[in-house]
């Protein structure tokens, strides 16, 4: 089971919605993963397989061991689907 | 028969009387609706109940840390805090114990009703969205939590003998209405910012954003066609992006303010060896803030970090708890009202104007510091500038202000937002109407719309108190004032959907300036290579005589 973390500034509202959208798209694509959400400060100490975040936060995660998936608009399910497909196919 | 009653009372005390079980029941229902697997349901229940207990723990840390902040600045602003009323060197009456007791009582005794209020409020929101033309479903979970919590505290302050059913009914209705109407009031402006009309803006910064947008529009109107540059066309230094890491900003600002305070106190203590400052230094040294035999300056540094840690803990707890409830709400709403628009957290508009967010934050931050000085020396109120509120609320307002009034609009919108927070905090915490029940532990969480909602809630529960206390005349007077306030709010709501208002204020849509938008190349390797792509400038002029 791969672990995915959705990341935003405080790890509250936005990353939760991103997490929900990721889960929705994964279901559509037929992939399985364990998705959770957290804040930019917390993610530094965690090593999931993938981190989904936007390029602003990605700048702060340059040396992070996890693979970073960039999604600019957290509420655009198409963009999320495209980004996930690239990774999981 | 008696045995049956005993069993019933045992159940109500042990099951429904405990927050964790109430939350567990709600989360269980949510997972049943979503048809989750057993393992997911079980871990969900554990996570959410754990989250609720974590919130309690974090609130305690925040309380004790902000008590030190308050004590120090109270002395600096020339007053005597309760903690130094005692004689020098004698046992002081620690206010922290009382504050902690109040915070714990609120969270432990009344906190269990928050998830119930959230659920009832959501159902009201769902009903309105399903039956009227207003189609917004509010999904900003952590703000549902905080707004319910803070208004609950206000209700308790206004009417301490309140019954639980009153709180649940009245606040649920108030929340349901607010969660439905707030995204609708911001609807037009959100559409202007987003360019699309399929999402709503559901965030408690909306009153600041609303005023910021109007101000920006006035600015553009009065500048005789000379519009201010769009914030996105200004090259802000890249080094400002760390401001998005809230934990860091909160820590830095708190460390700065605490060190500044403790150094001033230490100097005051040297100058006057028997004054309040000396007593505070001595009390701090004796372990009043949890650090014995430690100099006040060192203690203040640790306490500043403790404050930030407290906030981080509370946020983590809220995250665990919200993470189980909101997916259920979303699942239900998409089933029941398929054409609903989700009203979401403010970062949906952050992506449209990242520079405006920073400008709004800077405008708000400078204003907050000014208010801290003005309120402090003016009336002796110690304003606690909560960086989370300042960043998100001023940032969101900045985006709205920038849309209508360029970079100046963004700065001013941030300043307006900060001003509402500062004055709102003073009115609600210090002017005798205070949130005595939740006190310090909630100061950092209360923000713009919450202060606006607090007033009617306060009025309603005050009415109850007066009516039950037999003071009918006062109740009638208060009712009239409340009705006027309600009418004002209704007219504000109508104004966003009526062109008459725009005609009176002669506001039209400002012409949008040409903008350069960055389109990022998506990569999966952290670093990004942006390339600038020119977007055709869209000039939209709204016809003023559009049908309502």
């Amino acid at each position: 089971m791969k672990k995915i973390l959705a990341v935003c500034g405080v790890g509250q509202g936005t990353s939760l919605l991103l997490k929900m959208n990721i889960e929705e798209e994964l279901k559509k694509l037929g992939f399985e993963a364990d998705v959770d959400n957290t804040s930019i400060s917390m993610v530094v100490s965690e090593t999931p397989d993938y981190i989904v975040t936007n390029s602003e936060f990605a700048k702060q995660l340059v040396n992070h061991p996890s693979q970073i998936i960039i999604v600019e608009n957290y509420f655009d399910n198409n963009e999320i689907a495209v980004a996930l497909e690239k990774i999981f196919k | 028969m008696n045995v049956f009653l005993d069993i019933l009372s045992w159940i109500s005390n042990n099951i429904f009387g405990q927050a964790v079980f109430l939350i567990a029941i709600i989360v269980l229902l949510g997972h049943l609706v979503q048809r989750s697997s057993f393992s997911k349901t079980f871990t969900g229940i554990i996570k959410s109940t754990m989250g609720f207990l974590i919130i309690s723990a974090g609130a305690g840390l925040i309380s004790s840390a902000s008590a030190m902040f308050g004590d120090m600045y109270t002395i600096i602003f020339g007053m005597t805090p309760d903690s130094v009323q005692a004689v020098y060197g004698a046992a002081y009456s620690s206010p922290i114990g009382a504050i902690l007791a109040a915070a714990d009582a609120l969270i432990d005794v009344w906190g269990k009703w928050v998830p119930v209020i959230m659920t009832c409020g959501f159902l009201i929101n769902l009903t309105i969205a399903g039956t009227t033309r207003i189609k917004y479903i509010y999904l900003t979970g952590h703000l549902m939590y905080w707004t319910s919590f803070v208004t609950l505290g206000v209700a308790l302050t206004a009417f301490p003998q309140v019954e639980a059913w009153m709180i649940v009914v009245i606040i649920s209705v108030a929340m349901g209405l607010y969660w439905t109407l707030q995204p609708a009031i911001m609807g037009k402006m959100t559409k202007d910012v987003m360019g699309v009309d399929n999402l709503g803006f559901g965030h408690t910064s909306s009153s600041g954003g609303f005023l910021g947008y109007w101000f920006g529009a006035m600015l553009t109107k009065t500048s005789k066609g000379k519009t201010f540059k769009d914030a996105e066309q200004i090259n802000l230094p890249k080094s400002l992006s760390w401001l998005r890491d809230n934990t860091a900003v909160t820590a830095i600002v708190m460390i700065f303010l605490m060190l500044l305070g403790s150094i001033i106190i230490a100097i005051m203590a040297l100058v006057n060896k028997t004054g309040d400052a000396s007593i505070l230094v001595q009390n701090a040294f004796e372990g009043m803030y949890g650090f014995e035999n430690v100099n006040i300056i060192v203690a203040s540094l640790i306490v500043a970090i403790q404050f930030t840690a407290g906030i981080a803990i509370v946020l983590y707890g809220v995250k665990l708890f919200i993470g189980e409830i909101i997916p259920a709400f979303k699942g239900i709403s998409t089933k029941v009202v398929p054409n609903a628009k989700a009203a979401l957290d403010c970062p949906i508009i952050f992506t449209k104007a990242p520079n405006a967010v920073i400008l709004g934050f800077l405008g708000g931050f400078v204003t907050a510091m000014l208010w801290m000085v003005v309120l402090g020396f003016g009336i002796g109120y110690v304003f606690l500038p909560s960086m989370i509120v300042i960043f998100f609320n001023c940032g969101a307002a900045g985006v709205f202000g920038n849309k209508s009034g360029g970079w100046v609009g963004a700065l001013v919108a941030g300043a307006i937002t900060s001003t509402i927070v500062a004055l709102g905090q003073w009115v609600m915490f210090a002017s005798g109407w205070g949130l005595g029940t939740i006190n310090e532990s909630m100061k950092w969480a209360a923000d713009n719309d919450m202060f606006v909602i607090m007033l009617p809630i306060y009025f309603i529960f005050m009415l109850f108190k007066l009516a039950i206390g037999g003071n009918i005349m006062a109740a009638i007077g208060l009712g009239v004032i409340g009705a006027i306030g309600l009418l004002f709010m209704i007219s504000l709501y109508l104004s966003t959907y009526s062109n008459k208002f725009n005609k009176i204020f002669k506001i039209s849509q400002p012409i949008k300036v040409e903008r350069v938008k960055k389109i990022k190349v998506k990569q999966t390797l952290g670093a990004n290579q942006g390339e600038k792509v020119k977007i055709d400038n869209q000039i939209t002029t709204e016809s003023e005589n559009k049908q309502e």
Side-chain angles (χ1 to χ4, degrees), chain B residues 131-179:
Chain B
T131 53
T132 68
R133 284 192 310 171
I134 305 172
K135 289 286 174 214
Y136 293 101
I137 300 280
Y138 197 91
L139 287 178
T140 311
H142 59 288
L143 288 176
M144 291 169 99
Y145 174 88
W146 286 117
T147 316
S148 307
F149 217 131
V150 171
T151 42
L152 201 155
V154 175
L156 274 174
T157 313
F159 186 28
Q161 302 83 13
V162 74
E163 299 280 340
W165 66 265
M166 272 187 196
I167 284 224
V168 171
V169 170
I170 293 171
I171 296 185
S172 295
V173 171
M175 289 298 118
L177 286 173
Y178 167 70
W179 292 332

Side-chain angles (χ1 to χ4, degrees), chain B residues 164-241:
Chain B
W165 66 265
M166 272 187 196
I167 284 224
V168 171
V169 170
I170 293 171
I171 296 185
S172 295
V173 171
M175 289 298 118
L177 286 173
Y178 167 70
W179 292 332
T180 313
L181 293 180
Q182 182 265 310
I185 289 172
M186 297 302 287
K188 262 188 175 177
M189 298 175 184
T190 311
K191 187 184 167 186
D192 189 19
V193 168
M194 298 289 292
V196 287
D197 198 14
N198 57 353
L199 283 174
F201 172 76
H203 194 264
T204 48
S205 65
S206 76
S207 45
F210 187 92
L211 292 172
Y213 186 93
W214 282 125
F215 182 88
M218 302 289 250
L219 208 68
T220 309
K221 191 82 196 163
T222 50
S223 63
K224 298 271 188 297
K226 187 174 84 66
T227 48
F228 292 102
K229 246 189 180 173
D230 190 296
E232 302 319 296
Q233 291 184 302
I234 299 170
N235 283 326
L236 286 180
K238 285 270 179 287
S239 54
L240 285 174
S241 73

Side-chain angles (χ1 to χ4, degrees), chain B residues 444-458:
Chain B
W444 66 274
D447 62 13
N448 302 59
D449 288 8
M450 293 187 206
F451 292 126
V452 176
I453 304 167
M454 277 179 202
L455 292 170
I457 294 277
Y458 186 85

Side-chain angles (χ1 to χ4, degrees), chain B residues 230-258:
Chain B
D230 190 296
E232 302 319 296
Q233 291 184 302
I234 299 170
N235 283 326
L236 286 180
K238 285 270 179 287
S239 54
L240 285 174
S241 73
W242 66 272
L243 287 173
R244 290 172 196 284
D245 186 342
N246 263 280
T247 316
V249 176
T250 305
I252 286 166
V253 172
M254 274 318 272
I255 287 169
F256 172 75
L257 290 174
M258 292 292 273

Side-chain angles (χ1 to χ4, degrees), chain A residues 3-82:
Chain A
K3 187 163 172 54
I4 302 178
L5 273 180
V7 174
C8 75
V10 182
Q12 299 268 301
T14 320
S15 55
L16 173 63
L17 289 157
L18 176 60
K19 171 197 152 179
M20 280 150 61
N21 289 341
I22 291 171
E23 282 177 336
E24 207 176 297
E25 291 309 314
L26 282 175
K27 213 181 216 168
K28 279 185 199 164
L29 294 164
F31 301 125
E32 282 253 321
D34 176 22
V35 193
D36 200 1
N37 62 311
T38 187
S39 70
I40 186 79
S41 335
M42 294 258 194
V43 79
V44 174
S45 57
E46 299 200 35
T47 47
D49 298 297
Y50 305 106
I51 293 173
V52 183
T53 190
N54 66 20
S55 49
E56 281 293 330
F57 292 125
K59 282 175 199 159
Q60 298 176 46
L61 299 171
V62 173
N63 297 322
H64 200 282
S66 304
Q67 193 176 359
I68 308 222
I69 304 172
I70 306 271
V71 170
E72 293 303 349
N73 185 351
Y74 290 1
F75 309 98
D76 180 355
N77 280 28
N78 296 335
E79 190 187 349
I80 293 169
V82 169

Side-chain angles (χ1 to χ4, degrees), chain B residues 276-289:
Chain B
D276 289 346
S278 302
I279 298 173
L280 189 73
V281 171
Q282 185 64 28
N283 286 349
F285 191 77
E286 285 170 11
M288 179 166 165
Y289 302 110

